[in-house]
Amino acid sequence: RFKVFQEAALASAPQPEEAAEQPLPDPEQDVFGYLKALAARTEKQFSALDQRLGNVHETTQARDEASNLATTYANDARRFAQNQPDFGDAYRFLIAQRDAELSAAGYDDPAERSRLIVADEQAIVRKSMQGRKSPAETVYGLAKARGYAPKAASAPGGAPAAQPAAGANCAAAAAPVHA
């Protein structure tokens, strides 16, 4: 964090354009004019520094919010996957479906599709959390709405079907595979 403040302080140093400001009056000839011009210049520098520090604060706040969102989502996904072991499969299904939709819509660049999917996922998670709903449950419901169906509980012959490990890919849900 110190580095951010240091950069903001360094950024407030006069730039070449600022150096071309009007020269200060000679204090020997016009002390009041000199003080007035010096105060105006100092106020301008403080104002610029205040604006930069505000930008740093906003950036830090946004980064912290994104981190908290991801952590909360990851914890919720792990909890949800304990009760819904196919959550990882549903999540992958939903991501694959959205990727196919974007591809069909003409988004040919995989990186661009990935960025859009991450943005969609973040918006869904944020909206769920604002409504005090489980983001993982919302994601699971979206996958089901798009056609996801859990694998059968048992394989032919009565043997139980192989289930993914509880919490499979849940960490990826918090920090999307596409990021």
Side-chain angles (χ1 to χ4, degrees), residues 70-84 87 136 166-175:
T71 300
T72 302
Y73 183 22
N75 291 337
D76 182 62
R78 283 186 205 93
R79 180 203 52 78
F80 186 76
Q82 289 176 346
N83 298 323
Q84 199 68 49
F87 173 74
N169 203 32
C170 292

Side-chain angles (χ1 to χ4, degrees), residues 1-113:
R1 288 192 177 168
F2 177 72
K3 181 180 177 189
V4 172
F5 290 112
Q6 187 178 23
E7 288 173 357
L10 291 176
S12 68
Q15 300 299 321
E17 304 141 9
E18 294 178 24
E21 291 180 348
Q22 292 180 338
L24 293 174
D26 183 359
E28 295 293 323
Q29 294 179 3
D30 183 8
V31 71
F32 293 112
Y34 173 79
L35 290 174
K36 185 177 178 180
L38 186 61
R41 184 179 287 179
T42 302
E43 178 62 32
K44 185 176 179 181
Q45 289 173 341
F46 277 126
S47 178
L49 180 59
D50 188 44
Q51 183 178 9
R52 287 184 182 108
L53 288 176
N55 292 343
V56 167
H57 176 71
E58 288 174 12
T59 301
T60 302
Q61 197 172 22
R63 184 188 65 225
D64 290 348
E65 179 187 338
S67 177
N68 289 338
L69 185 79
T71 300
T72 302
Y73 183 22
N75 291 337
D76 182 62
R78 283 186 205 93
R79 180 203 52 78
F80 186 76
Q82 289 176 346
N83 298 323
Q84 199 68 49
D86 66 325
F87 173 74
D89 289 339
Y91 175 81
R92 286 185 290 277
F93 175 86
L94 181 63
I95 297 300
Q97 289 294 308
R98 185 64 178 137
D99 186 62
E101 288 172 357
L102 290 170
S103 182
Y107 292 93
D108 297 326
D109 181 15
E112 183 178 13
R113 289 194 312 266

